[in-house]
Amino acid sequence: MAQRQRARPRQDRAVQTRRLLLDTAERILDQHGAAGLTTSAVSRAAHVSSGTFYRYFNDKDELLTTLRDEAVHAISDDLMVSVVDALDDDLDVALRHVVTTLVDGFERHHGVMLAMVDRMSGGANANVLPEIEANLHQLASLLPRRHLPGLPDDRLEAVVFMLMGVLVSTCLRIALQRPADVDRDHLVALAVAMVRAGLTDPAPAG
């Protein structure tokens, strides 16, 4: 005689409800932007009561912070894989792989990224995601070490330091602010060329 399937524990239901609220909030951000994200809008779209919302999040800021943290972790994980995969590639191919991965990640979390940018006075030019820049700094030193083995450590650090902020802000601009009549692949190619040029470290003056 077949056994009846046991009901999932209440804890699993709580995890599912929390996930539903996060996914619903991200969908609202994608469709309506940060202005459309309210606790009532999330509750209504998720078909739950406001009391259920407040059981999981104190307010929309906590909800948005959670989405931001999830996006940072996902993009950082993708970057880790991208850099490791690109280590044995030609430098231009490797750089394109990294730039494309970063742009793809920002585009995939488009609504959350825009909400973060809107919070910063400097917009896409501000240091919106310092965690990603820090992770990218650690990863990015692997590529010039592989392709520019004769570069002294202090000059390698200078090159990586200068490029990281430029790379993150450039990829953000491509992902979030690209004009409709501008080709995405062309912008990616320009970003790769900029980074490639930056890896050609000039000798110190004097």
Side-chain angles (χ1 to χ4, degrees):
M1 181 176 178
Q3 292 184 339
R4 292 178 60 187
Q5 186 174 2
R6 292 171 61 89
R8 291 188 176 184
R10 185 173 298 276
Q11 184 177 1
D12 283 357
R13 186 176 302 172
V15 170
Q16 292 173 3
T17 301
R18 185 176 185 275
R19 185 73 259 161
L20 171 64
L21 292 170
L22 289 167
D23 291 344
T24 301
E26 187 161 15
R27 187 168 64 252
I28 290 173
L29 286 172
D30 288 340
Q31 295 175 352
H32 305 291
L37 186 67
T38 64
T39 57
S40 59
V42 173
S43 300
R44 187 165 53 250
H47 304 292
V48 301
S49 68
S50 59
T52 297
F53 177 94
Y54 288 113
R55 195 176 303 149
Y56 296 95
F57 300 99
N58 290 320
D59 50 35
K60 75 171 186 178
D61 286 338
E62 183 182 357
L63 179 68
L64 189 55
T65 297
T66 302
L67 287 173
R68 176 194 184 281
D69 291 345
E70 287 188 349
V72 166
H73 285 306
I75 294 169
S76 296
D77 287 347
D78 287 346
L79 275 174
M80 176 77 74
V81 173
S82 175
V83 171
V84 172
D85 286 348
L87 282 177
D88 293 325
D89 288 335
D90 171 84
L91 182 56
D92 288 335
V93 174
L95 291 175
R96 183 175 184 87
H97 193 40
V98 172
V99 169
T100 301
T101 298
L102 198 51
V103 173
D104 286 346
F106 290 150
E107 287 181 341
R108 192 160 49 251
H109 300 280
H110 183 269
V112 177
M113 293 298 102
L114 273 178
M116 293 299 101
V117 168
D118 288 345
R119 284 182 161 192
M120 306 292 289
S121 59
N125 294 318
N127 192 3
V128 180
L129 300 165
E131 303 97 328
I132 288 182
E133 186 172 327
N135 291 337
L136 189 58
H137 184 281
Q138 297 169 0
L139 292 170
S141 64
L142 297 175
L143 291 177
R145 282 188 191 280
R146 176 66 63 92
H147 294 279
L148 304 171
L151 200 63
D153 285 346
D154 59 336
R155 290 172 64 184
L156 173 68
E157 177 65 21
V159 167
V160 175
F161 171 76
M162 289 301 294
L163 286 177
M164 289 312 94
V166 172
L167 179 57
V168 171
S169 62
T170 298
C171 290
L172 266 176
R173 286 177 64 82
I174 294 172
L176 305 183
Q177 300 175 333
R178 176 174 62 86
D181 57 345
V182 175
D183 182 67
R184 178 186 187 270
D185 288 341
H186 181 59
L187 291 180
V188 168
L190 286 174
V192 170
M194 289 167 56
V195 175
R196 183 68 174 85
L199 289 175
T200 306
D201 180 44

